[in-house]
Every structure is written in structure tokens, then in C-alpha cells.
């Protein structure tokens, strides 16, 4: 079921997510489809269920496959072997650092992963991107058959609305910075109501430097 409304129909004291819930009249969960223009488009998806669970060490084999899949590898360069994955993701999983790692499930099948963190916990990145007060997030659908079907938009919506916003009291900005050539990722962020900001150069682990586009979601306007 599609739910469409113009920005003018959103009440002054409500976010786009709240307006969508109101206009859906109790049917739900309501998911973003395309918030990049007017009217805003949401849906109730009767075909798919979307879930997140904390990543565990048992997911490292799947992560290796996902990160090395050609549609991901271009945009996700570091930590390719299971040993590197264990070194990189292990501390967060064990609660030894403050990055939270999640696995995405569609209809009960694990299809990818995502992560969230306070940008202020990563001073070098905070300096580069200039958004120290924002909450950062990153995301991958590793199963190629699940890409380009609108699922990433739904999964990110569930992740940001139900897991990220409630976890960071008072956060007003969610931030991601895809490579400027990653048009699919930039399009997904636009569909989630993000606005593009500063371009900046981000050094990668292998010595390369990527030019990335800072994209921000205004929590109060879109998701609160
Ligand atoms: C980014 C990602 C999570 C998006 O999930 P998804 O399910 O593919 O996204 P959706 O299907 O919801 O939306 C994709 C949009 O990009 C568009 N798109 C796809 N390829 C594109 C391209 N080469 N150029 C421009 N737009 C493109 C699609 O048409 C769609 O837009 P539309 O709905 O307006 O038609 C997923 O593609 C992915 O994991 N990619 C590889 C890893 C990655 O890039 N992660 C992000 C790092 S910042």
C-alpha cells in the first residue's frame, strides 16, 4: 500500500515519519519509499519483513562473502579476509568499542549489515567531515539478488528510525559519506530524505584517497 502526501500536509510539530504513521491510520509498519521530492512517498510492505540483530562472530563468514562481492568490493575496500574481519569487527561485537554492528534480515534471511557510531568517538573522521555532533552510519546489502529492489531503502529506514534515533538521545543529525561515484548509495540516501553537503577527501587503509559526499538526515524533520 502506497502512502503519498505533500510536505505542506505535514503538521508543524511532526516529522515526516509521524505524518506517514498518522496518514496510514494504524496500518504499518510504514516505510520510506522516496522522500527526495514532493509528494513524499511511503509504503506498507506486505511482502517483506525487515529485521536487525546484533552481529556476532558467527556472521564473519557471511561478511567475508558480502564484502568481497563485486557490487560491494568497489565501495568497501578494507578488511577482506575473515582474520581481518575478526580484527576489525570483533571489538565492537564484544563491547570493547562503541561502534554498534548489525545484521540485516529480509524475511528471516541474512542479507547484509550496517553500523552506527558517534562521530565524536572518531576524532580524525570528525575533523575531516566537520560533523562532530552527528551520528554516523554505514551499510551493505551483500546478497546481490537483493540489490536495486527498494530493500535497502526499507532496511535503512527501519535501522535509522527504530535502532539509531532511539539510541542517541538528543541527536539531531544522521550522517553518511559515500564515494562521490557511488550513485546508487547517494540515491538511497536521497530517498531517505538526506541532503548532500560538503565533499571531502577521505584517506583509506590501503593508502588511496576517496572523494566522498557528506549526506545528512535531519532527525527532527524526517525521523523523530
Ligand atoms: C547502497 C545499498 C545499500 C542500497 O540498497 P538497494 O536495495 O540497492 O537500494 P534501493 O533499491 O532502495 O535504491 C537504489 C536506487 O539507486 C538507483 N541506482 C542503481 N544503480 C544506479 C546507478 N549506477 N546510478 C544511479 N542510480 C542507481 C536505483 O534505480 C534506485 O533508485 P530508484 O528507486 O529511484 O530507481 C546497496 O545497493 C549496497 O549495499 N551496495 C553496495 C555497498 C555500498 O555501496 N554501500 C554503501 C557504501 S557508502
Amino acid at each position: 500500500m502506497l502512502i503519498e502526501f505533500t510536505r505542506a500536509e505535514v503538521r508543524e510539530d511532526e516529522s515526516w515519519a509521524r505524518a506517514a504513521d498518522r496518514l496510514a491510520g494504524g496500518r504499518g509498519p510504514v516505510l520510506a519509499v522516496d522522500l527526495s521530492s514532493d509528494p513524499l512517498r511511503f509504503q506498507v510492505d506486505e511482502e517483506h519483513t525487515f529485521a536487525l540483530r546484533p552481529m556476532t562472530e558467527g556472521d564473519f563468514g557471511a561478511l567475508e562473502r558480502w564484502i568481497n562481492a563485486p557490487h560491494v568490493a568497489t565501495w568497501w575496500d578494507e578488511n577482506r579476509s575473515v582474520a581481518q574481519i575478526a580484527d576489525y569487527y570483533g571489538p565492537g561485537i564484544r563491547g570493547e568499542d562503541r561502534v554498534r554492528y548489525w545484521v540485516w534480515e529480509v524475511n528471516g534471511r541474512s542479507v547484509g549489515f550496517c553500523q552506527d557510531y558517534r562521530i565524536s568517538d572518531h576524532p580524525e573522521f570528525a575533523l575531516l567531515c566537520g560533523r562532530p555532533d552527528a551520528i554516523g552510519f554505514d551499510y551493505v546489502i551483500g546478497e546481490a539478488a537483493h540489490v536495486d529492489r527498494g530493500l535497502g531503502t526499507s532496511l535503512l529506514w527501519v535501522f535509522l528510525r527504530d535502532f539509531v534515533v532511539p539510541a542517541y538521545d538528543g541527536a539531531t543529525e544522521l550522517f553518511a559519506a559515500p564515494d562521490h561515484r557511488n550513485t546508487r548509495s547517494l540515491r538511497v540516501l536521497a530517498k531517505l530524505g538526506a541532503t548532500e553537503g560538503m565533499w571531502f577527501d577521505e584517506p583509506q587503509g590501503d593508502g588511496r584517497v576517496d572523494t566522498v559526499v557528506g549526506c545528512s538526515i535531519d532527525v527532527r524533520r524526517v525521523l523523530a
Side-chain angles (χ1 to χ4, degrees):
M1 182 187 71
L2 202 60
I3 300 152
E4 270 191 12
F5 52 94
T6 63
R7 293 171 194 226
E9 289 174 78
V10 180
R11 293 175 181 159
E12 254 179 44
D13 61 342
E14 71 184 356
S15 63
W16 295 350
R18 274 286 163 76
D21 287 341
R22 172 171 58 82
L23 294 164
R27 288 158 295 191
V30 182
L31 305 169
V33 173
D34 187 356
L35 314 183
S36 67
S37 55
D38 225 9
L40 301 166
R41 294 173 60 220
F42 289 82
Q43 68 169 337
V44 175
D45 186 337
E46 271 131 26
E47 196 185 330
H48 301 104
T49 54
F50 301 100
L52 272 87
R53 59 175 176 79
M55 187 187 288
T56 70
E57 292 178 358
D59 294 309
F60 289 167
L63 248 73
E64 184 199 26
R65 196 163 47 77
W66 292 335
I67 289 171
N68 287 292
H71 73 284
V72 178
T74 315
W75 311 117
W76 206 270
D77 287 287
E78 295 168 75
N79 308 307
R80 293 291 175 84
S81 68
V82 169
Q84 287 172 318
I85 287 168
D87 278 352
Y88 189 80
Y89 296 92
I93 285 173
R94 293 190 295 272
E96 293 164 11
D97 71 34
R98 295 174 67 190
V99 183
R100 303 191 309 166
Y101 298 109
W102 308 93
V103 169
W104 269 334
E105 293 181 347
V106 177
N107 293 347
R109 178 176 175 194
S110 302
V111 299
F113 66 100
C114 55
Q115 58 201 45
D116 61 87
Y117 47 92
R118 280 188 194 279
I119 291 181
S120 57
D121 286 340
H122 305 270
E124 279 180 29
F125 184 63
L127 205 60
L128 279 178
C129 74
R131 318 304 304 164
D133 298 327
I135 306 304
F137 63 101
D138 304 290
Y139 40 90
V140 163
I141 294 181
E143 299 294 339
H146 284 69
V147 165
D148 274 345
R149 293 168 47 194
L151 300 174
T153 304
S154 298
L155 285 162
L156 277 163
W157 186 255
V158 170
F159 168 49
L160 298 175
R161 184 195 60 191
D162 298 344
F163 289 79
V164 176
V165 171
Y168 298 94
D169 201 23
T172 57
E173 180 182 354
L174 310 181
F175 183 85
D179 188 291
H180 71 289
R181 297 159 297 185
N182 192 349
T183 41
R184 182 193 273 137
S185 184
L186 289 166
R187 174 72 188 129
V188 168
L189 291 171
K191 291 199 291 179
L192 291 162
T195 51
E196 291 188 12
M198 191 174 76
W199 291 38
F200 56 97
D201 288 339
E202 186 181 9
Q204 304 298 314
D206 60 4
R208 219 188 51 242
V209 176
D210 289 343
T211 302
V212 300
V213 186
C215 297
S216 297
I217 298 178
D218 180 335
V219 172
R220 279 184 289 231
R221 185 169 68 138
V222 179
L223 278 160

